[in-house]
Amino acid sequence: MSRIDAKFAELRTEGKKAFVAYVMAGDPDYATSLDLVKGLPGAGVDIIELGLPFTDPMADGPTIQRAGQRALEGGMTLQKTLDLVTEFRKDDATTPIVLMGYYNPIYNRGVERFLDDAKTAGIDGLIVVDLPPEEDEELCIPAQKAGLNFIRLATPTTDDKRLPKVLENTSGFVYYVSITGITGAAAADAGDVGPEVTRIKAQTDLPVIVGFGIRTPQSAQAIAAVADGCVVGSAIVAEMAAGKPVEEVTAFVRSLAAGAHRA
């Protein structure tokens, strides 16, 4: 059982929904980013989604694009991202970490070496947005064999014909993208999301977590109420971009987590 599986089992026992927080590794710099990541579990975050900075983040909106650019300009790399996770794990052996990014940095490092290093650092799962299911032999299946969950995105355009292919080698949880488009582009609507979550859950026993367009404790509660939990990313990243101290950002995260946990 992975840390992700264990976390969902724990939440089910407690009758709670999951709150997942996305932050960009290295934004605005390594030290501040590490402080923020270390503070997330205490703010009520169940799973940390850690963004891997990349030069061409096609699925991300301007807020996260700028965060990635700040991180890259500050010297953040794949290795430093793994170092950050290693440092985090010195004090926290239980909170799951999902690395979210694009395939190019992984490919450049070499899949086998990357998986070994990711597992050693303490990463539990991967979301690689530019590798479709048709390319599962490239990374997804090797990752599963290495003991890492491979989390797939489903979207409003993933119809019933496509959905089984998307779910085929997915593990950990399914990430349902609540809107069509990039991150931070629009607000998620529980009335639209609920039926889609039901449709997905009819074809899988995996938890379904909803992300994109969730910015407030109220929307976190509303979306978590119709799913197994929710992800907030751009709203947290925007707090960092505003130059707020880590303590203020974690207070904001705490309010979001409380909203999700009320669902």
Side-chain angles (χ1 to χ4, degrees), residues 174-216:
V174 179
Y175 188 136
Y176 179 69
V177 176
S178 65
I179 57 174
T180 303
I182 55 177
T183 58
D189 184 281
D192 295 333
V193 168
E196 290 298 295
V197 171
T198 299
R199 181 172 70 90
I200 294 167
K201 289 179 76 67
Q203 296 200 38
T204 181
D205 293 329
L206 292 171
V208 179
I209 305 298
V210 177
F212 286 45
I214 303 166
R215 301 188 183 93
T216 66

Side-chain angles (χ1 to χ4, degrees), residues 134-151:
E134 286 74 18
E135 305 295 334
D136 275 357
E137 292 288 345
E138 191 80 18
L139 180 64
C140 172
I141 291 172
Q144 308 267 34
K145 289 179 179 176
L148 295 170
N149 289 127
F150 200 89
I151 295 141

